[in-house]
Amino acid sequence: MKRYFFLFITLLLTGLTWSTARAQSETTWTELPDSLLEKKHSPTKATIMSACLPGLGQIYNKKIWKVPIIYAGFGVLGYFIYFNTDEYINYKCAYIESSYGNMNGSYAYLVQRYSKEELLSAREYYRRNLEISCLITAVWYALNILDATVDAHLFTYNISDKLSFRMEPSWMPAGITRDPGAGLRLTFNF
């Protein structure tokens, strides 16, 4: 009789445990509709997108107004690279023609106008400008990526409407110091 009673109690407890575990698993595995799920905004994704195609990270961050600024910067820098490259090649070839004493070559308009030293100086000037233009273009590209990364990190940051700054004149009575004085009081509310 004890054996049947013990078996009965064991089965009863196992059944209760089984039904409780099944109920818990059903509640933990219920799926929420897509409208209730918060989509995670990834800074890594924004960085990679902006590195692959400048401006794509800004579009992902919903800052589309920055894309024309990025491409205008690349356009201006591309023009400077093109212009400085063209002038560098012109003065380099003119210097080579001047070195060989060819006064009627393809670059005669430069060779006849400038001396050999002036051609060399102009060549170095445009070479330096070309290098600086390439360096600034690389910095502009890196700033594009940095901007997308920072915007993605701050994507869910909420600025309160209570944020304020107030500056007003203040008067310090003679009790704190020997002489009374005037000053400015700065008040930040956040």
Side-chain angles (χ1 to χ4, degrees):
M1 186 74 169
K2 277 185 172 180
R3 184 182 290 173
Y4 292 118
F5 180 75
F6 180 69
L7 184 61
F8 176 74
I9 297 295
T10 305
L11 288 174
L12 182 65
L13 290 176
T14 305
L16 288 174
T17 306
W18 176 260
S19 66
T20 306
R22 198 168 111 204
Q24 286 177 351
S25 69
E26 288 175 3
T27 58
T28 56
W29 292 104
T30 55
E31 292 188 24
L32 295 173
D34 287 341
S35 61
L36 295 178
L37 292 176
E38 182 181 340
K39 295 188 178 168
K40 185 166 172 52
H41 197 79
S42 172
T44 305
K45 187 175 181 180
T47 303
I48 291 171
M49 290 173 83
S50 197
C52 290
L53 181 66
L56 196 58
Q58 282 76 10
I59 293 171
Y60 174 71
N61 291 333
K62 295 182 174 66
K63 303 280 180 147
I64 298 172
W65 63 272
K66 292 183 178 182
V67 176
I69 296 170
I70 291 170
Y71 281 102
F74 279 120
V76 168
L77 291 167
Y79 170 76
F80 284 138
I81 289 172
Y82 170 78
F83 176 77
N84 288 318
T85 301
D86 191 43
E87 291 299 311
Y88 169 71
I89 290 171
N90 288 340
Y91 281 99
K92 177 181 150 188
C93 292
Y95 176 73
I96 291 171
E97 284 184 3
S98 176
S99 296
Y100 289 127
N102 186 359
M103 300 300 277
N104 297 323
S106 301
Y107 299 95
Y109 66 97
L110 292 174
V111 173
Q112 293 171 0
R113 184 182 302 169
Y114 300 111
S115 70
K116 189 175 174 183
E117 291 78 23
E118 290 173 329
L119 290 173
L120 180 63
S121 176
R123 182 191 76 169
E124 292 303 312
Y125 172 78
Y126 286 111
R127 182 186 59 82
R128 186 178 67 246
N129 286 350
L130 174 62
E131 291 171 354
I132 290 171
S133 298
C134 290
L135 182 64
I136 292 173
T137 303
V139 169
W140 186 254
Y141 177 73
L143 286 175
N144 155 59
I145 296 170
L146 182 66
D147 176 64
T149 305
V150 169
D151 272 348
H153 278 289
L154 298 176
F155 187 76
T156 57
Y157 185 73
N158 188 9
I159 298 176
S160 171
D161 291 335
K162 297 178 184 177
L163 184 64
S164 66
F165 167 75
R166 188 174 62 204
M167 183 172 56
E168 56 190 24
S170 68
W171 179 257
M172 294 174 55
I176 297 173
T177 61
R178 254 171 64 156
D179 298 325
L184 284 176
R185 178 183 301 153
L186 302 175
T187 307
F188 295 100
N189 292 325
F190 51 91

